[in-house]
Amino acid sequence: MQTLYLLVPLAPLLGAIIAGLFGRYIGREWSHRVTICLVSVSLLVSLIIFFDVLKGNVYNGTVYTWLVTGDTRFEIGFLIDQLSALMMVIVSLVSLMVHVYTIGYMHDDPGYQRFFSYISLFTFSMMMLVMSNNFLQLFFGWEAVGLVSYLLIGFWYTRPTAIYANMKAFLVNRVGDFGFLLGIAMVLFYFGTLDYATVFEHAPDIAEKKIELIPGLDWLVITVICILLFIGAMGKSAQFPLHVWLPDSMEGPTPISALIHAATMVTAGIFMVARMSPLFELSDAALSTILVIGGITTLFMALIAVVQTDIKRVVAYSTLSQLGYMTVALGASAYSVAVFHLMTHAFFKAVLFLGAGSVIIAMHHEQNMLKMGGLKQYMPITYWTMFIAALASAGVPGFSGFFSKDAIIEAVHYANVPGAQFAYFCVLSTVFVTALYTFRLIFMTFHGQPRMDSHTKEHLHESPWVVTVPLIVLAVPTVMSGWFIGSIVFGDYFAAAVHISSSHDAIERLRAEFTGVGGMMVHALSTAPFWLSVAGIFTAWFLYRVRTEIPEKIKQAMYPLYVLLDRKYYIDELYSWLFAGGTRTLGTVLWKYADIKLIDGFVVNGAARLVSLTSSIVRRFQTGYIYHYAFTMIVGIFVILTLWLK
């Protein structure tokens, strides 16, 4: 099996090397054939491993020792358990569909081979992250997906907006990664190892150990470690206030939006916290922080999506909100529910992104929903697959998103850590907002009268099969994946992969109330989330199908609020003023005063002036008269003799 374990990440890596280094020689067609075949191998092997894990076969071992210093070993190794096996299947399946989809979307792009190389390399990086059994390999995968995302977001590097977006993503992620690295450094300092199993085994030993970060203020070491690790997750999984990079990353090609924002990079932080559950369960302060941050992200990012007119940005802010749901579940110690929502979200969000890309192709790369409408009759496959994904996103019973979202809401309701009530209000309110913005997208894009120009209208047609087939394939788990909630969440699937403290009983209380998939759907009909979802869909239908003039009136009546949401709470402006502007101001001060005044003026020019002054004084003794020199010599000898004889 170890050979199969190696094959999962190495197959897409080989595809990336072939397409990247030899793409110009093998051509466009063979570039996508090779990469797709090798990602297919990764998916096939991931499925074999997944079913092997279901039989109870778990693996934790070292593949390669990179460095040994003292008693510390830096190793490359794999941990194959229920959590990593599920992630491997999700990542490889979504990646394969994105690879196939890319054939149609990037057909005429001059960087065709380079794009396939990047997305295969991205798949390799993500696989190394989820399969790691130590913090070193985790950090490698963590940084590798960040690097490749930088390349992918700025793929169209001739566009100034793309350059700005990838730099923004890179810098914001570096903020989170710095905290993440500090957390790993503290793990190494206090545990003396980077191996997961050893760290988790000895974590209770330092549960009460304290550190004085600020004089007179003690912190639990485990709390500091967990918060630092979560800061890394905040950057990678785009949680407030490190969320600002993700909407701008829409500047990259649509396949990348689906790959990054559905099942891979942005879920890395969620996966990491779930993997580190033995550490986080020892700190209620860390869990409370996660709850509050997740709640803020969930609600406030969803509100921004309501006013967006760019179809990709609506889905991007939807991703932010759904990541907030997952984060809230982590804070409620419902790790299995968080990973379950990660899975269901991967499928329906991939459909929404790829469907948006299909629309953009048909609209000749127009992304403004105000210029769309009536596309249902021209693009039936795109419409129905996106409609299914919209139902899942809105949490309609029977679709995947309903099961995971409902479980999260109930888990937060039962959570007993500080901040749970605030988080519960946020996730419950967001149900209405999610249904509203999701079906606003559907109605504005596919229903009503066509609002595009005549030329575009004449050439409207369904996307080619390489675009529609991935939509159809991903639409199936968008409907069905939620039906496995009984075995994945309430069964013993994650029993050995995550650790939950006995004091955090949200999952146990949910398990006691679970009456099966059918019972869950029937019970939902009498709960607030269901009716909030119905209210959101009805509101979207009424505003964007029946009384289409009302949204503009609401906009005018609540214009300050609209501007606040449209400007994304002015957080970008704040960062530009505080950090970018502050850095420029500091640079100007250092240039004018430290460089010009102190270094150039005082040190360099001061030294020159001192030499000049000294020389001007000394040269007065250089008269050129022999009797002056003789007199000086006599005086000098007299002084020396006087001092010597004394």
Side-chain angles (χ1 to χ4, degrees):
M1 289 298 292
Q2 294 187 32
T3 304
L4 290 180
Y5 299 151
L6 283 169
L7 195 57
V8 172
L10 293 183
L13 176 62
L14 179 61
I17 293 172
I18 293 173
L21 298 181
F22 306 103
R24 66 177 66 184
Y25 305 109
I26 64 176
R28 298 162 68 92
E29 188 172 335
W30 275 102
S31 292
H32 74 239
R33 285 179 179 177
V34 169
T35 51
I36 290 173
C37 286
L38 289 170
V39 172
S40 301
V41 169
S42 183
L43 173 60
L44 179 62
V45 176
S46 295
L47 287 170
I48 295 172
I49 294 170
F50 177 76
F51 288 112
D52 186 60
V53 169
L54 289 180
K55 298 176 183 177
N57 298 318
V58 179
Y59 175 81
N60 183 12
T62 300
V63 176
Y64 174 73
T65 300
W66 178 57
L67 179 69
V68 178
T69 173
D71 296 329
T72 305
R73 301 176 66 88
F74 298 94
E75 299 172 333
I76 304 299
F78 293 146
L79 172 57
I80 309 298
D81 62 358
Q82 293 79 2
L83 178 58
S84 57
L86 181 63
M87 289 294 299
M88 287 157 61
V89 172
I90 295 171
V91 171
S92 55
L93 175 59
V94 175
S95 177
L96 177 60
M97 293 299 101
V98 170
H99 274 73
V100 175
Y101 179 93
T102 300
I103 298 174
Y105 193 90
M106 303 292 290
H107 180 70
D108 297 322
D109 197 282
Y112 190 81
Q113 296 98 314
R114 177 166 57 94
F115 191 84
F116 274 97
S117 175
Y118 286 172
I119 56 179
S120 290
L121 186 61
F122 193 96
T123 307
F124 157 75
S125 303
M126 194 66 194
M127 287 299 187
M128 292 294 288
L129 189 155
V130 301
M131 295 173 68
S132 63
N133 73 340
N134 61 83
F135 285 93
L136 174 68
Q137 187 175 330
L138 175 69
F139 188 72
F140 166 78
W142 196 269
E143 291 300 308
V145 295
L147 172 63
V148 184
S149 70
Y150 169 83
L151 298 173
L152 287 167
I153 295 169
F155 181 79
W156 288 319
Y157 52 83
T158 56
R159 298 182 181 179
T161 52
I163 298 171
Y164 174 81
N166 71 350
M167 283 299 298
K168 188 176 183 179
F170 189 82
L171 292 174
V172 173
N173 272 278
R174 295 294 74 73
V175 175
D177 293 352
F178 181 66
F180 189 57
L181 187 60
L182 289 177
I184 294 175
M186 287 193 67
V187 168
L188 181 61
F189 180 80
Y190 284 99
F191 293 96
T193 181
L194 295 175
D195 181 70
Y196 289 165
T198 308
V199 171
F200 297 160
E201 182 183 354
H202 293 94
D205 299 340
I206 68 163
E208 302 301 324
K209 191 176 183 63
K210 295 184 177 180
I211 184 175
E212 194 174 276
L213 296 175
I214 302 173
L217 185 60
D218 292 333
W219 286 70
L220 289 174
V221 169
I222 196 69
T223 296
V224 177
I225 290 174
C226 289
I227 289 178
L228 287 172
L229 292 176
F230 179 65
I231 290 173
M234 287 168 60
K236 199 66 70 183
S237 293
Q239 296 296 290
F240 176 88
L242 300 180
H243 67 281
V244 294
W245 67 269
L246 192 141
D248 287 335
S249 67
M250 295 297 105
E251 290 295 332
T254 299
I256 288 317
S257 301
L259 191 60
I260 292 177
H261 304 149
T264 52
M265 178 177 169
V266 294
T267 59
I270 309 300
F271 165 81
M272 184 273 293
V273 176
R275 175 63 80 198
M276 303 300 151
S277 59
L279 300 180
F280 283 88
E281 285 298 293
L282 297 172
S283 175
D284 280 1
L287 292 176
S288 184
T289 302
I290 293 172
L291 264 176
V292 172
I293 295 285
I296 293 172
T297 307
T298 301
L299 178 58
F300 289 90
M301 297 303 109
L303 290 171
I304 297 177
V306 176
V307 302
Q308 297 297 310
T309 57
D310 186 307
I311 188 171
K312 285 178 65 177
R313 286 187 177 266
V314 174
V315 186
Y317 280 104
S318 172
T319 299
L320 284 172
S321 181
Q322 298 302 316
L323 288 168
Y325 268 106
M326 301 175 206
T327 304
V328 165
L330 296 172
S333 295
Y335 303 101
S336 57
V337 181
V339 176
F340 187 64
H341 191 58
L342 185 158
M343 178 184 73
T344 61
H345 172 263
F347 297 128
F348 70 72
K349 189 52 55 71
V351 173
L352 287 174
F353 266 120
L354 297 182
S358 178
V359 170
I360 293 169
I361 293 172
M363 293 291 299
H364 301 287
H365 294 278
E366 176 60 65
Q367 298 181 195
N368 190 348
M369 295 188 298
L370 297 175
K371 298 181 180 179
M372 298 178 186
L375 294 181
K376 178 184 176 181
Q377 58 181 317
Y378 302 101
M379 309 179 72
I381 298 176
T382 300
Y383 169 74
W384 285 110
T385 51
M386 287 191 72
F387 187 79
I388 291 170
L391 291 173
S393 179
V396 174
F399 296 86
S400 61
F402 157 75
F403 297 99
S404 55
K405 191 179 294 186
D406 198 67
I408 290 174
I409 294 170
E410 291 301 312
V412 177
H413 178 65
Y414 290 134
N416 55 9
V417 298
Q421 290 184 339
F422 169 76
Y424 180 70
F425 167 78
C426 290
V427 295
L428 193 60
S429 304
T430 306
V431 173
F432 171 83
V433 185
T434 301
L436 173 60
Y437 70 66
T438 303
F439 277 86
R440 172 179 176 266
L441 182 153
I442 296 295
F443 292 134
M444 288 185 68
T445 304
F446 295 99
H447 293 266
Q449 295 299 316
R451 296 182 297 276
M452 69 287 296
D453 59 72
S454 58
H455 175 75
T456 303
K457 187 178 179 179
E458 290 173 1
H459 292 84
L460 282 174
H461 58 84
E462 184 62 90
S463 299
W465 70 268
V466 289
V467 173
T468 55
V469 167
L471 288 172
I472 296 170
V473 171
L474 290 170
V476 175
T478 296
V479 178
M480 299 176 57
S481 60
W483 302 350
F484 297 96
I485 188 171
S487 56
I488 294 179
V489 174
F490 302 122
D492 58 354
Y493 181 79
F494 285 119
V498 299
H499 172 75
I500 302 176
S501 171
S502 57
S503 60
H504 303 145
D505 59 350
I507 284 293
E508 289 300 322
R509 296 175 70 176
L510 281 176
R511 185 179 286 113
E513 295 181 357
F514 182 67
T515 57
V517 172
M520 191 173 178
M521 287 190 288
V522 172
H523 174 70
L525 301 179
S526 60
T527 62
F530 170 75
W531 291 107
L532 285 170
S533 178
V534 171
I537 296 172
F538 175 79
T539 303
W541 170 80
F542 183 76
L543 293 178
Y544 297 97
R545 289 289 292 126
V546 181
R547 299 291 300 277
T548 55
E549 76 281 0
I550 293 181
E552 184 62 29
K553 293 180 179 178
I554 296 175
K555 174 183 174 180
Q556 296 301 325
M558 306 179 70
Y559 192 72
L561 177 60
Y562 168 80
V563 173
L564 181 66
L565 295 175
D566 187 55
R567 301 300 294 270
K568 299 162 286 188
Y569 309 110
Y570 292 94
I571 295 175
D572 282 316
E573 286 81 356
L574 174 64
Y575 287 172
S576 290
W577 173 78
L578 183 63
F579 295 109
T583 303
R584 287 195 299 269
T585 302
L586 178 62
T588 301
V589 170
L590 291 174
W591 163 57
K592 286 187 175 181
Y593 296 96
D595 192 14
I596 295 177
K597 298 286 187 185
L598 180 62
I599 297 175
D600 287 346
F602 180 75
V603 178
V604 179
N605 295 335
R609 292 191 186 98
L610 180 63
V611 170
S612 178
L613 178 63
T614 305
S615 62
S616 66
I617 296 172
V618 172
R619 74 186 179 195
R620 297 181 184 276
F621 298 97
Q622 304 294 324
T623 63
Y625 295 110
I626 295 177
Y627 59 85
H628 285 172
Y629 301 151
F631 178 75
T632 303
M633 293 173 61
I634 293 169
V635 172
I637 293 171
F638 177 77
V639 171
I640 291 171
L641 290 174
T642 303
L643 294 173
W644 180 263
L645 293 175
K646 183 179 177 182

